[in-house]
Amino acid sequence: MIEKLIDAIEKKKAPIVVGLDPALSMIPQHIMDEAIEKHGETLEAAGEAIFEFNKAIVDATEDLIPAVKPQSAMYERYGLPGLAAYKKTIDYCHYKGLIVIADVKRGDIGSTSEAYADGHLGKVKVGNTEFAPFNADFATVNPYLGSDGVKPFVDVAKAHDKGIFVLVKTSNPSSGEFQDRMLFGDEGVAGMPVSGASVYAGHLSNEAEDVKKPLYQYVADMVNLWGSESLHGSYSDIGAVVGATYPEVGEKLRKVMPKAYILVPGYGAQGGKGKDLKAFFNSDGLGAIVNSSRGIIAAWQKAPYKDTFDEYHFAEASRRAVLDMKQDITSAVGL
Amino acid sequence: MIEKLIDAIEKKKAPIVVGLDPALSMIPQHIMDEAIEKHGETLEAAGEAIFEFNKAIVDATEDLIPAVKPQSAMYERYGLPGLAAYKKTIDYCHYKGLIVIADVKRGDIGSTSEAYADGHLGKVKVGNTEFAPFNADFATVNPYLGSDGVKPFVDVAKAHDKGIFVLVKTSNPSSGEFQDRMLFGDEGVAGMPVSGASVYAGHLSNEAEDVKKPLYQYVADMVNLWGSESLHGSYSDIGAVVGATYPEVGEKLRKVMPKAYILVPGYGAQGGKGKDLKAFFNSDGLGAIVNSSRGIIAAWQKAPYKDTFDEYHFAEASRRAVLDMKQDITSAVGL
């Protein structure tokens, strides 16, 4: 799947992804009113308003972008009707030819992680009939439970030509509380490195026992391990999430994980800028894809776009914001 | 909410929770056949079979247990119809007076974690009408993103009299890959301890900089911080997950987190036994609640129950397994 993402990035000359993370407060009143007129003040109305909002933004930006990243939390917030909007959004984006990165940050133990992977990336059988329940192309995965929480995602991705992005260093202010903690080498850790990862095993085991590295760097080492059997050309289907808000960490991790595509959240609303992002990319202009959510989908409510676009032109504001983001990033990274 | 859980545990003399984690392979053929007859080979049939299976087990065990723990992965696996079964399961368990621990292991950055918390524990507004979308009583939370990923769950729980269990040390074999890593003190970590946590700030800052502790213990310290303003009597609404498969860690963490209720997965099918669990409890017989999933809901397929119960008596096998588990645990911990 990573080669399809790279192909789309190169064709559209846009290493960017639009985060479809709608809150009702971002949705123009006339869309909300229409949904409430149809469904009353119900969760169904919220779901319909969310989908109509997404659809308009996708219609206005699909020729510019390779991918979208719906954030499952914003849909789960509205229960089953919210999740119906999530599924409709994925299907609509596929219909428009976009790659869908499901930002679900799931992670559990073995067979339970497999169930998540089946549902979001893979297939399930009922009787003799097969279904792809959510059918995203990539999913984000939380590594806290270790290899047997992540490997089922790797395996399901491999079986269905999908990919994952593992959280390594997140964009939020307190991401350092645990992720930046300095760790000792392999001391006290059973079962490292994981078996079947011969490519990187030497790299890990050659380290002195008293080497200190932050936790995120150990996770990055594991991303290399997990991804070593999912290579397609220069990159692996197993990528990593590294926040735009920590460019010095991005620079380091770019070198630590040479084969991992980096999904970079935190651009725009969270403070990251194009010039800070060069370090996340390789010299070929590839290796990273930058997400913006609120900065694009709520552009009509924010300077400088709100002076030009009213609520009836929110999708055009999103298009303008995508064009500006694309310019900011491609001029910095030289794609 | 924690005082309601404790009250239910004491009334039923059962510090146990039944994990409603159904896989289709555990569901008797006659239930599956009936669902397929009604809905064809569809995801709706899977959802209906899952709900009917859960309902029979709840009916057969509700007088014995204080709580259930549905695992969201097993429902997401079947897409929207699976999640409809998840919601119906929560509602049915509430109707039967059971406390519902949503094993969702969510965790994201600030406003996104808030959206998850709203959806699973809290309320949302559409127009002027309020809804509790999933309305669980507790949710499990992944701490990898740090305080601003967890605090929204703490705040929403507080506002709606709900609770959370933060993953500290999980029950799976590779949980140690990251969670057991030995860490240095506060070195290199910005923003520790979190503000507003005066009760425990002294405890954290008095530590020597070169003290080594495993990651799970730092997370445990943070559980104390996060829970310090959610106390009800001896315990906090902010609890912790510590796997039954690591009793020596349970013994240590019981002391590190004196106010945190511990949710203990990994009993039974994953290998934990009642006598190993004493260390997770306080001397009053409280402080922990032990989960069994497959060991209860798939009892009819396993020794010794499969010799007595056929697929038409699967729920009675679950009841017998609950009685055996209750005996095993209460005799060890003395509730």
Side-chain angles (χ1 to χ4, degrees):
Chain A
M1 180 51 75
I2 193 65
E3 73 283 14
K4 289 180 198 160
L5 180 62
I6 293 169
D7 189 50
I9 289 170
E10 288 185 317
K11 272 194 184 128
K12 292 181 172 170
K13 294 198 183 307
I16 64 178
V17 51
V18 171
L20 297 173
D21 307 9
L24 292 195
S25 59
M26 299 171 189
I27 298 181
Q29 195 59 45
H30 69 279
I31 293 181
M32 205 61 231
D33 287 347
E34 209 168 303
I36 287 177
E37 193 165 325
K38 205 161 147 190
H39 298 283
E41 289 186 348
T42 59
L43 295 174
E44 284 72 17
E48 172 149 330
I50 286 170
F51 175 70
E52 291 300 327
F53 179 69
N54 287 347
K55 182 172 174 294
I57 290 169
V58 169
D59 287 344
T61 60
E62 44 124 345
D63 60 316
L64 305 175
I65 58 174
V68 293
K69 182 174 77 63
Q71 164 55 257
S72 60
M74 309 317 276
Y75 303 84
E76 283 181 44
R77 176 181 246 162
Y78 295 100
L80 297 175
L83 283 155
Y86 174 73
K87 171 71 177 142
K88 272 178 82 175
T89 297
I90 291 174
D91 291 346
Y92 189 72
C93 292
H94 278 158
Y95 166 69
K96 288 286 180 172
L98 297 171
I99 289 167
V100 177
I101 302 168
D103 196 356
V104 294
K105 294 188 178 66
R106 300 297 195 262
D108 209 291
I109 69 171
S111 59
T112 310
S113 268
E114 191 185 350
Y116 277 131
D118 286 347
H120 289 283
L121 298 175
K123 290 183 177 165
V124 296
K125 260 192 172 176
V126 182
N128 294 308
T129 310
E130 224 174 27
F131 299 91
F134 286 107
N135 200 28
D137 301 306
F138 289 87
T140 55
V141 174
N142 186 309
Y144 188 68
L145 288 90
S147 285
D148 50 29
V150 177
K151 278 297 294 267
F153 283 95
V154 173
D155 295 341
V156 169
K158 198 166 185 181
H160 299 281
D161 191 21
K162 304 287 179 113
I164 64 171
F165 293 98
V166 178
L167 304 187
V168 175
K169 170 68 180 171
T170 55
S171 60
N172 54 314
S174 70
S175 70
E177 264 175 35
F178 304 124
Q179 297 164 24
D180 289 2
R181 285 269 170 195
M182 296 304 289
L183 300 138
F184 291 90
D186 288 346
E187 183 182 347
V189 179
M192 280 282 288
V194 293
S195 62
S198 52
V199 178
Y200 290 90
H203 167 65
L204 284 173
S205 60
N206 283 338
E207 284 166 2
E209 288 238 337
D210 58 354
V211 166
K212 286 203 295 185
K213 290 194 288 198
L215 173 60
Y216 63 72
Q217 201 165 332
Y218 277 95
V219 178
D221 286 340
M222 296 303 285
V223 168
N224 287 334
L225 279 164
W226 296 324
S228 60
E229 290 176 11
S230 301
L231 291 170
H232 303 272
S234 299
Y235 295 101
S236 171
D237 282 333
I238 311 306
V241 173
V242 184
T245 40
Y246 301 99
E248 71 296 347
V249 177
E251 184 170 10
K252 184 163 73 171
L253 290 177
R254 175 67 288 164
K255 290 174 192 130
V256 170
M257 302 180 292
K259 304 287 190 191
Y261 233 78
I262 301 180
L263 172 63
V264 187
Y267 173 86
Q270 288 181 53
K273 297 261 176 286
K275 64 180 166 43
D276 301 326
L277 297 176
K278 203 171 154 51
F280 293 78
F281 287 80
N282 285 318
S283 54
D284 55 2
L286 295 173
I289 184 164
V290 182
N291 178 75
S292 179
S293 300
R294 280 168 290 167
I296 304 295
I297 67 173
W300 70 280
Q301 295 177 321
K302 294 171 196 286
Y305 309 103
K306 69 176 178 180
D307 298 334
T308 313
F309 301 97
D310 66 7
E311 68 161 287
Y312 294 94
H313 298 84
F314 70 97
E316 290 164 57
S318 294
R319 182 177 177 85
R320 186 70 62 87
V322 166
L323 287 166
D324 289 346
M325 178 186 178
K326 194 173 155 179
Q327 169 65 22
D328 180 38
I329 290 172
T330 53
S331 68
V333 308
L335 185 78
Chain B
M1 181 52 73
I2 193 66
E3 73 282 15
K4 289 180 198 161
L5 180 61
I6 293 170
D7 189 51
I9 289 170
E10 288 185 316
K11 273 195 184 126
K12 291 177 172 170
K13 293 198 186 306
I16 64 178
V17 51
V18 171
L20 296 173
D21 306 8
L24 292 195
S25 59
M26 300 171 188
I27 298 181
Q29 196 59 45
H30 70 278
I31 292 182
M32 204 63 231
D33 288 346
E34 209 168 304
I36 287 177
E37 192 165 330
K38 205 161 146 191
H39 298 283
E41 288 186 349
T42 59
L43 294 175
E44 284 73 18
E48 172 148 332
I50 287 170
F51 175 70
E52 292 300 328
F53 179 70
N54 286 347
K55 182 171 175 295
I57 290 169
V58 168
D59 287 345
T61 60
E62 44 125 346
D63 60 314
L64 305 175
I65 58 174
V68 293
K69 182 174 75 64
Q71 165 54 259
S72 59
M74 310 316 277
Y75 303 84
E76 283 182 42
R77 176 180 245 161
Y78 296 100
L80 295 175
L83 282 155
Y86 175 73
K87 170 71 177 144
K88 271 177 83 175
T89 297
I90 292 175
D91 290 347
Y92 189 73
C93 292
H94 277 158
Y95 165 69
K96 288 286 181 174
L98 296 171
I99 289 166
V100 177
I101 301 168
D103 197 355
V104 293
K105 295 188 177 64
R106 300 298 194 263
D108 209 291
I109 69 170
S111 58
T112 310
S113 268
E114 191 185 349
Y116 277 131
D118 286 348
H120 289 283
L121 298 175
K123 290 183 178 167
V124 296
K125 260 191 172 178
V126 183
N128 293 306
T129 309
E130 224 174 29
F131 298 90
F134 285 107
N135 200 29
D137 301 307
F138 290 86
T140 56
V141 174
N142 186 309
Y144 188 67
L145 287 92
S147 285
D148 51 28
V150 177
K151 278 296 295 272
F153 283 94
V154 173
D155 295 341
V156 169
K158 200 166 185 181
H160 298 280
D161 191 21
K162 304 288 177 108
I164 64 172
F165 293 97
V166 178
L167 305 187
V168 174
K169 170 68 179 171
T170 55
S171 61
N172 53 315
S174 68
S175 69
E177 263 176 35
F178 304 124
Q179 297 163 24
D180 289 2
R181 285 271 173 193
M182 296 303 290
L183 299 139
F184 291 91
D186 288 347
E187 185 183 347
V189 179
M192 281 280 290
V194 294
S195 61
S198 53
V199 178
Y200 289 90
H203 167 64
L204 284 173
S205 62
N206 284 338
E207 284 167 1
E209 288 237 336
D210 59 352
V211 166
K212 287 201 296 184
K213 291 194 288 195
L215 174 60
Y216 63 71
Q217 201 165 335
Y218 278 95
V219 178
D221 287 339
M222 295 303 284
V223 168
N224 287 334
L225 278 164
W226 296 324
S228 61
E229 290 176 9
S230 302
L231 292 169
H232 302 272
S234 299
Y235 294 101
S236 171
D237 282 333
I238 311 307
V241 173
V242 183
T245 41
Y246 300 99
E248 71 295 346
V249 177
E251 184 169 11
K252 185 162 70 169
L253 290 176
R254 176 67 287 165
K255 290 174 192 132
V256 170
M257 302 180 292
K259 304 288 190 188
Y261 233 78
I262 300 179
L263 172 63
V264 188
Y267 174 86
Q270 288 182 51
K273 295 260 177 286
K275 63 180 166 45
D276 301 325
L277 296 176
K278 203 172 155 50
F280 293 78
F281 288 79
N282 285 318
S283 54
D284 55 2
L286 295 173
I289 182 164
V290 182
N291 179 76
S292 178
S293 299
R294 279 168 290 167
I296 304 294
I297 67 173
W300 70 279
Q301 295 177 322
K302 294 170 195 288
Y305 309 104
K306 68 176 179 181
D307 298 334
T308 313
F309 301 98
D310 66 8
E311 66 161 289
Y312 295 94
H313 299 84
F314 69 96
E316 290 165 55
S318 295
R319 182 179 177 83
R320 186 72 61 89
V322 166
L323 287 166
D324 289 346
M325 177 185 178
K326 193 174 155 178
Q327 168 65 22
D328 181 38
I329 290 173
T330 53
S331 68
V333 308
L335 184 77

